[in-house]
């Protein structure tokens, strides 16, 4: 059988290590990862191998040649452009068309029993066998589910935490029959798990999953690269190491000179012809490359040092990676997680802080304190985006410099000459950051329409009027010292997951486009923003019956930007209204849960004494609303959703409503009673937005004060929800308390459990297994439905080490009991 080694990847996440070296050539204990892979193939009798190459292909070819030194026959298939995982193998079809073949990645470290994998493939009569393994964090991999016989049920490429229903992932190692080539178009980017396997499954072809025992590490990040070295040194992976074990765990290669007065604490590895002087201390999990000099008094711990590096006296290297041909001068200090590229010069007594990246060929001056990356930067977290854009503490995590770089990255994802809308809330921090963002956009050849301080729905609506996208800066809800930088697409909706990943990539690479002097973008300030917003809102939403109804309402603008749109809106609605807290208060750009509650209580008192039909309180950016009924009683957000649903469904009598899967199933009863149906979405606002854009959707809401009025827009909009509500109440002649009273009580309980990142995948697999024969819904997380209709939902948080649980029962006690039962399941897996 022949093998195919995929060696074409750029390894962008591993830059600056891969800036001048392809990822398969990165050394793990002084041998390229791909050499370990080839030796594994040879051990299992797979000596005829085709290597697919693209990025820096000549370096791979020069290093391995025809494979004679390894006792193998290597041929190469060159991709002119990236063709995806399947496309690149198709490129080598000529050499593989006669028999089954094995596909393996040239940049993953493993010691799997390939002979047993091939045996399994042949015994099952499979067309494709996917080699699987279990990992603690499945986010970066494709998840695969198999039945008892090993047949593949389902694939999911790079899931979000809400989609994680297992910790069994695709390792990218496959055994395949040549018929698979019929499903791969030539010269086009095609992926196995994204494109080919779903088609094979659709046609009922035999695809099997083999869960391998043994070691596998996808060396895709700096952390996993350093970890792979430690694992080899600890003997956790069965690979060859050259050299001699001179004391337990201390490996020294041929020709290395180690002074007897050097302190060595294994496991560690010292490469050939390296020199370690007296008084140097090298501690566990350190790897010293070929021809490295370690001077007296130097201290290294968990340091990976590539070939030909000079480590000066008294220097201190911890948990870092040092590229080849680099000089580290006297008393330099390089901290945990830092990466120094090839051929750099680190001046004496300089300090390179943790997680800093220094690109190849850079000089750090003597005494310099480097706390930001040099031509490379990472915010120290895996992903920029949280639940609401890019969030963090103002001037600590979110600085003007970061805002400029983010805006530059966003501009780079758009065409030159595009228009972007910018907007902010009424805080000073948002104003300062917006100015930085505008200058960065203009410098990247983007025209800017600055809306200044407007409610969030207005910013979205204006963006959707001919702009390529938008950026809004707002204070994080309930956290006055933090801000969210929100990015919109051309429809004014939040950037999709794919859009976020694209922006993430450009930001991480720091590859910004800059305008030539004649291309600097224009800056304009559109006028009559509020008039055009209220005009289109009143044209889109049914307001019949309002003027005649004689309704009186109390509106609380909560001293936020919602107050800016209300005068023009209320005047044109012709409704008797009392507006409270209309002025902007810069010192209170957001409100805590307590202050919001207190505001609602005050609003209730005013509504009751004024004998108004109801009261509505806007959040400070006009995105969400809270309600009080005619008696001044607070209508809780989850009840307000049902009230609004009941009114809209009763009026429309058809269509569908978009609700997140965490909503009470009473909503289904209310909708069905009036002839509408519920479409369940994930808990992510952009999923609600997506469904709300589809024809036939009449309403959407999240149960937390966010309402979507699809006839006007597909995003949360407080003013649109308010206008819709007044019209409905005016036409039905029912009060909010009457509507509330006719809807059954819901009993949904919620709980959050701390869950370490490393066990989240295991937790979700345990939940699916514990569900047994019960009905399971994986729209978002895992929802398990009991035979009596009670349900529980388990959802891992995308940004924190937390798992969320919801449960619904016929009464509070049964919902709590169900929550307790499943919390115990989650806890058992998490510990």
């Amino acid at each position: 059988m022949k093998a195919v080694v995929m060696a074409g990847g750029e390894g962008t996440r591993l830059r600056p290590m891969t800036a001048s070296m392809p990822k398969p050539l990165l050394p793990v204990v002084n041998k390229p990862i791909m050499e370990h892979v080839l030796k594994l193939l040879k051990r299992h009798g797979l000596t005829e191998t085709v290597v697919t190459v693209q990025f820096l292909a000549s370096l791979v070819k020069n290093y391995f040649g025809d494979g004679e030194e390894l006792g193998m026959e290597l041929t190469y298939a060159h991709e002119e452009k990236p063709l995806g995982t399947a496309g690149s193998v198709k490129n080598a079809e000529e050499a593989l068309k006669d028999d089954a073949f094995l596909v393996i990645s040239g940049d993953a470290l493993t010691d799997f029993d390939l002979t047993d994998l091939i045996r399994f493939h042949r015994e099952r009569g499979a067309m494709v066998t996917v080699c699987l393994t279990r990992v603690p964090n499945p986010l970066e991999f494709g998840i695969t589910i198999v039945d008892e016989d090993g047949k593949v049920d389902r694939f999911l490429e790079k899931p979000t935490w809400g989609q994680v229903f297992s910790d069994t992932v695709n390792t990218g190692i496959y055994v395949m029959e040549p018929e698979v080539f019929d499903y791969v178009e030539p010269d086009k980017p095609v992926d196995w798990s994204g494109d080919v396997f779903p088609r094979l499954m659709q046609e009922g072809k035999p695809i099997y999953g083999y869960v391998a025992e043994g070691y596998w590490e996808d060396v895709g990040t700096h952390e996993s690269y350093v970890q792979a070295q430690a694992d080899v040194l600890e003997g956790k992976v069965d690979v060859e190491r050259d050299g001699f074990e001179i004391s337990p765990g201390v490996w020294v290669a041929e020709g290395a000179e180690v002074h007897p007065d050097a302190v060595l604490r294994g496991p560690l590895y010292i490469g050939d012809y390296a020199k370690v002087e007296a008084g140097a201390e090298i501690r566990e999990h350190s790897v010293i490359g070929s021809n490295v000099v370690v001077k007296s008094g130097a201290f290294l711990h968990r340091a990976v040092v590539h070939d030909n590096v000079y480590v000066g006296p008294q220097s201190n290297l911890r948990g870092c990676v040092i590229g080849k041909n680099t000089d580290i001068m006297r008393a330099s200090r390089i901290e945990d997680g830092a990466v120094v590229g090839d051929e750099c010069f680190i001046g004496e007594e300089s300090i390179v802080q943790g997680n800093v990246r220094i690109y190849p060929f850079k000089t750090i001056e003597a005494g310099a304190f480097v706390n930001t990356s040099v031509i490379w930067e990472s915010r120290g977290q895996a992903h920029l985006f949280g639940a609401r854009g890019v969030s963090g503490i103002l001037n600590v995590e979110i600085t003007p410099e970061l805002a400029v770089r983010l805006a530059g990255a966003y501009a780079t994802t758009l065409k030159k000459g595009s228009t972007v809308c910018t907007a902010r809330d009424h805080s000073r921090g948002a104003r300062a950051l917006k100015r930085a963002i505008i200058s960065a956009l203009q410098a990247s050849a983007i025209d800017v329409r600055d809306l200044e301080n407007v409610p969030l729905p207005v910013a979205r609506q204006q963006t959707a009027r001919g702009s390529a996208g938008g950026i809004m800066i707002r204070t994080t809800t309930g956290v006055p010292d933090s801000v969210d930088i929100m990015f919109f697409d051309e429809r004014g909706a939040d950037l999709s997951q794919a859009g976020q990943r694209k922006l993430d990539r450009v930001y991480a690479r720091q590859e910004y486009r800059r305008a030539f002097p004649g291309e600097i973008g224009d800056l304009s300030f559109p006028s009559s923003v509020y008039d055009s917003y209220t005009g289109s809102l009143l044209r889109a939403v049914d307001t019949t019956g309002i003027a005649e109804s004689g309704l009186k309402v109390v509106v609380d603008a909560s001293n936020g930007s919602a107050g800016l749109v209300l005068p023009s809106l209320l005047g044109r609605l012709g409704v008797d209204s009392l507006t409270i807290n209309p002025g902007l208060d810069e010192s209170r750009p957001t409100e805590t849960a307590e202050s919001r509650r207190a505001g609602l209580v005050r609003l209730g008192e005013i509504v009751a004494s004024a004998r108004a039909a109801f009261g509505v309180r806007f959040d400070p950016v006009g995105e969400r609303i809270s309600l009080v009924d005619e008696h001044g009683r607070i209508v809780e957000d989850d009840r307000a959703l049902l009230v609004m649903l009941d009114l809209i469904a009763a009026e429309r009598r058809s269509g569908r409503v978009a609700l997140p899967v965490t909503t009470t199933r009473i909503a289904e009863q209310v909708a069905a009673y009036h002839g509408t149906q519920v479409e369940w979405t994930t808990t992510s606002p952009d999923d609600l937005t997506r469904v709300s854009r589809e024809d036939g959707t009449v309403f959407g809401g999240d149960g937390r004060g966010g309402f979507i009025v699809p006839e006007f827009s597909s995003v949360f909009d407080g003013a649109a929800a308010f206008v819709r509500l007044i019209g409905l109440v005016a036409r039905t002649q029912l009060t909010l308390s009457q509507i509330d009273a006719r809807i059954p009580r819901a009993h949904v309980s919620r709980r959050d459990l701390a869950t370490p990142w490393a066990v989240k995948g295991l937790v979700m697999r345990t939940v699916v297994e514990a569900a047994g024969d019960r009905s399971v819904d994986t729209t978002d997380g895992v929802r398990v439905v009991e035979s009596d209709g009670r349900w529980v939902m388990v959802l891992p948080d995308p940004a924190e080490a937390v798992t969320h649980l919801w449960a619904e029962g016929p009464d509070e006690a049964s919902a709590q009991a169900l929550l307790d039962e499943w919390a115990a399941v989650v806890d058992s897996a998490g510990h």
Side-chain angles (χ1 to χ4, degrees):
M1 184 182 278
K2 290 184 180 176
V4 183
V5 175
M6 317 274 285
E10 289 189 39
T12 48
R13 289 178 301 162
L14 282 165
R15 289 187 184 177
M17 283 192 279
T18 52
S20 49
M21 181 192 297
K23 188 175 161 192
L25 289 186
L26 276 183
V28 171
V29 186
N30 280 25
K31 273 199 176 73
I33 306 175
M34 186 168 141
E35 189 170 331
H36 292 300
V37 171
L38 290 171
K39 286 188 169 172
L40 175 72
L41 292 173
K42 188 185 173 192
R43 266 209 311 269
H44 290 280
L46 296 151
T47 53
E48 278 189 73
T49 298
V50 183
V51 182
T52 68
V53 288
Q54 195 233 335
F55 178 69
L56 300 177
S58 58
L59 296 180
V60 177
K61 289 181 183 174
N62 291 347
Y63 187 93
F64 292 104
D66 60 5
E68 189 183 353
E69 280 185 31
L70 294 168
M72 298 178 76
E73 279 180 54
L74 299 187
T75 53
Y76 296 89
H78 196 288
E79 293 171 53
E80 297 305 323
K81 57 178 192 219
L83 292 171
T85 53
S88 59
V89 178
K90 173 80 170 177
N91 207 24
E93 181 178 5
E94 199 51 41
L96 304 166
K97 63 185 183 199
D98 300 324
D99 192 8
F101 56 90
L102 181 135
V103 178
I104 191 166
S105 170
D107 50 30
L109 188 65
T110 182
D111 58 9
F112 287 161
D113 184 345
L114 302 181
T115 305
D116 197 52
L117 168 66
I118 293 164
R119 177 198 58 73
F120 175 94
H121 173 81
R122 291 197 159 132
E123 279 179 7
R124 295 295 190 283
M127 187 184 213
V128 174
T129 299
V130 182
C131 186
L132 307 171
T133 191
R134 304 206 193 285
V135 297
N137 178 357
L139 272 200
E140 288 302 320
F141 310 104
I143 287 180
T144 309
I145 294 218
V146 291
D147 65 16
E148 299 80 45
D149 190 36
K151 205 158 192 193
V152 173
D153 277 350
R154 192 167 169 200
F155 286 105
L156 187 61
E157 271 295 282
K158 295 202 179 176
T160 62
W161 268 118
Q163 297 168 312
V164 169
F165 42 75
S166 175
D167 60 354
T168 311
V169 303
N170 179 352
T171 62
I173 302 172
Y174 311 114
V175 183
M176 298 179 161
E177 298 298 323
E179 294 95 274
V180 295
F181 288 129
D182 300 342
Y183 295 82
V184 184
E185 272 195 75
D187 296 324
K188 289 228 175 109
V190 184
D191 279 300
W192 291 122
S193 46
D195 306 315
V196 180
F197 296 165
R199 271 186 64 197
L200 293 176
M201 287 176 71
Q202 230 173 346
E203 293 186 17
K205 301 290 185 199
I207 301 192
Y208 282 83
Y210 169 89
V211 182
E213 297 298 322
Y215 181 92
W216 179 78
E217 178 72 71
D218 172 49
V219 185
T221 62
H222 295 101
E223 294 75 25
S224 61
Y225 177 69
V226 173
Q227 187 59 47
Q229 319 278 344
D231 291 342
V232 171
L233 294 172
E234 293 276 2
K236 290 181 181 174
V237 50
D238 179 14
V239 296
E240 282 180 30
R241 275 174 288 194
D242 292 340
F244 315 94
E245 196 171 8
I246 60 168
S247 63
V250 175
W251 288 77
V252 178
E254 183 184 60
E257 284 179 50
V258 181
H259 196 282
D261 292 338
V263 179
L264 305 180
R265 296 194 185 171
L268 59 85
Y269 184 91
I270 296 171
D272 49 352
Y273 304 103
K275 182 177 181 187
V276 180
E277 291 190 352
E281 183 174 350
I282 302 178
R283 299 191 55 164
E284 52 269 20
H285 300 161
S286 291
V287 175
I288 308 300
S290 304
N291 304 310
V292 169
V293 175
V294 182
K295 301 294 284 180
S296 175
F299 175 92
L300 293 86
H301 183 209
R302 290 182 65 248
V304 179
V305 181
H306 292 181
D307 299 346
N308 307 314
V309 170
Y310 172 88
V311 181
Q314 283 81 51
S315 54
N316 189 308
L317 278 60
R318 293 169 189 269
C320 55
V321 178
I322 310 296
K324 60 182 187 288
N325 304 322
T326 286
D327 295 331
I328 294 168
M329 308 313 286
R330 182 186 63 80
S332 303
R333 189 182 181 91
I334 301 178
E335 301 279 9
D336 206 20
V339 179
V340 179
D342 297 345
E343 308 207 20
C344 289
F345 179 91
I346 309 294
E348 60 183 46
E349 295 187 1
S350 57
I351 297 174
V352 177
Q353 282 226 294
N355 297 320
V356 163
R357 309 278 181 257
I358 296 179
Y359 241 58
F361 314 109
K362 296 291 167 289
T363 297
I364 302 299
E365 292 175 9
F369 181 79
V370 185
N371 63 359
T372 56
S373 297
V374 181
I375 320 297
W376 174 262
E377 152 119 358
S378 151
R379 269 181 78 215
Q381 65 184 62
H383 299 289
L384 286 169
F385 284 85
R388 297 316 304 267
V390 181
S391 306
I393 301 166
L394 178 66
N395 276 341
V396 177
E397 293 163 294
I398 305 284
T399 59
E401 299 90 328
L402 177 121
V404 164
R405 287 197 291 268
L406 258 181
Y410 181 58
T412 305
T413 68
L414 305 172
K415 289 192 173 81
K416 278 188 178 183
S418 299
T419 301
V420 167
C421 279
T422 55
R424 62 173 174 87
D425 71 6
H426 55 287
S427 66
R428 287 188 175 185
R431 178 190 290 156
L433 289 176
K434 181 173 64 67
R435 288 173 176 165
I437 281 169
I438 288 172
S439 64
L441 291 171
Q442 289 180 279
S444 300
I446 297 290
D447 293 336
V448 179
R449 292 178 70 228
D450 185 23
L451 306 171
E452 301 182 276
N453 172 23
V454 293
L456 182 50
V458 174
R460 291 184 185 280
Q461 187 231 27
Q462 287 291 319
T463 300
R465 295 190 159 186
S467 294
I471 302 177
M472 167 103 184
I473 303 100
R474 61 174 284 185
T475 308
T476 304
T477 307
V479 191
D481 58 355
S482 286
V483 291
D484 303 335
I485 302 179
M486 302 175 71
F487 292 88
F488 306 148
D489 63 16
E490 72 284 0
R491 286 185 290 236
D494 291 348
L495 269 192
S496 66
Q497 293 285 330
Q500 290 179 16
R501 277 200 288 269
K502 186 176 178 186
L503 176 49
D504 237 335
R505 274 200 304 277
V506 177
Y507 177 84
R509 292 180 186 181
Q510 304 275 293
E511 291 167 358
Y512 309 134
R513 179 188 68 217
R514 292 282 178 246
F516 299 113
E519 299 176 326
I520 299 292
D522 197 16
L523 174 62
S524 60
F525 300 91
S527 58
S528 330
V529 169
Y530 297 118
D531 287 344
S532 85
Y533 171 80
T534 50
S536 53
L537 172 56
L538 296 178
R539 280 193 298 278
V541 178
D542 186 358
T543 57
T544 52
I546 295 179
E548 303 76 35
S549 66
L551 283 179
K552 182 193 278 189
V553 292
V554 183
V555 182
D556 185 348
S558 60
N559 299 112
S561 52
L564 300 170
V565 81
L566 287 172
S568 117
L569 183 62
L570 293 167
R572 290 164 75 170
L573 263 180
V575 66
D576 184 4
S577 62
L578 167 63
T579 304
I580 58 173
N581 301 318
L584 292 173
D585 184 348
E586 272 190 3
S587 66
R588 289 195 303 125
T590 184
E591 49 187 6
T592 61
E594 295 76 32
S595 63
R596 178 172 164 269
R597 195 82 192 165
L600 281 169
V601 169
R602 279 196 303 278
L603 174 63
E605 289 163 359
I606 295 168
V607 168
S609 63
R611 302 213 169 134
F614 63 88
V616 61
R617 178 180 169 87
F618 285 85
D619 75 350
V621 290
E623 187 178 41
R624 297 169 183 273
I625 57 171
S626 302
L627 303 177
V628 297
D629 68 14
E630 72 281 9
H631 304 300
R633 288 190 298 244
I634 297 169
V635 183
E636 299 298 344
D637 286 344
D638 54 343
R639 291 302 288 176
L641 177 66
L642 295 175
V643 166
M644 197 79 141
L645 170 62
D646 185 61
L647 281 164
I648 286 174
E651 185 170 271
R652 285 299 182 90
R653 298 271 166 200
S654 67
R656 63 170 183 272
V657 294
L659 302 172
V661 279
T662 48
T663 312
T664 166
R665 286 328 183 246
I666 302 271
E668 220 159 28
Q669 295 174 32
V670 172
Y673 180 76
H674 296 300
T676 58
Q677 62 192 119
V678 174
E679 175 152 350
W680 299 110
T681 75
T682 69
T683 49
S684 142
D686 57 341
D687 205 25
L688 266 179
T689 295
R690 178 185 59 76
V691 177
S692 300
R693 274 202 297 268
E694 293 171 4
D695 286 346
T697 306
V698 296
F699 173 62
D702 69 351
R704 300 200 317 276
F707 297 103
I708 295 173
V709 180
E711 58 266 42
F712 175 61
S713 81
S714 59
V715 294
F716 295 140
D717 188 330
F722 166 60
V723 173
R724 188 82 177 93
L725 181 63
I726 296 178
L728 290 162
V729 171
R731 292 189 291 279
T732 54
Q733 299 287 300
L734 290 169
T735 65
L736 293 194
S737 64
Q738 286 170 329
I739 298 158
D740 190 14
R742 73 185 188 189
I743 300 169
R745 294 280 123 193
H747 301 283
V748 179
S749 299
R750 178 177 172 170
R751 191 175 300 171
D752 294 341
L753 296 175
T755 310
W757 282 104
V759 298
K760 280 190 175 183
L762 173 63
V763 163
M764 299 315 285
R765 175 160 62 94
T766 307
V767 168
V768 171
E769 286 168 359
D773 296 333
R774 284 168 282 206
S775 166
V776 170
D777 170 11
T778 55
T779 303
D780 199 10
V782 173
R783 191 171 75 89
V784 182
V785 185
E786 303 283 345
S787 54
D788 58 5
R790 294 182 304 149
W791 59 269
V792 68
M793 181 168 153
V794 183
L795 177 69
D797 191 283
E800 294 175 41
V802 168
T803 300
H804 306 293
L805 282 81
W806 289 262
E808 179 168 31
D811 53 58
E812 207 61 46
S814 83
Q816 281 299 333
L818 194 59
L819 210 49
D820 292 340
E821 178 191 331
W822 285 90
V825 173
V826 171
D827 265 340
S828 69
H831 292 108

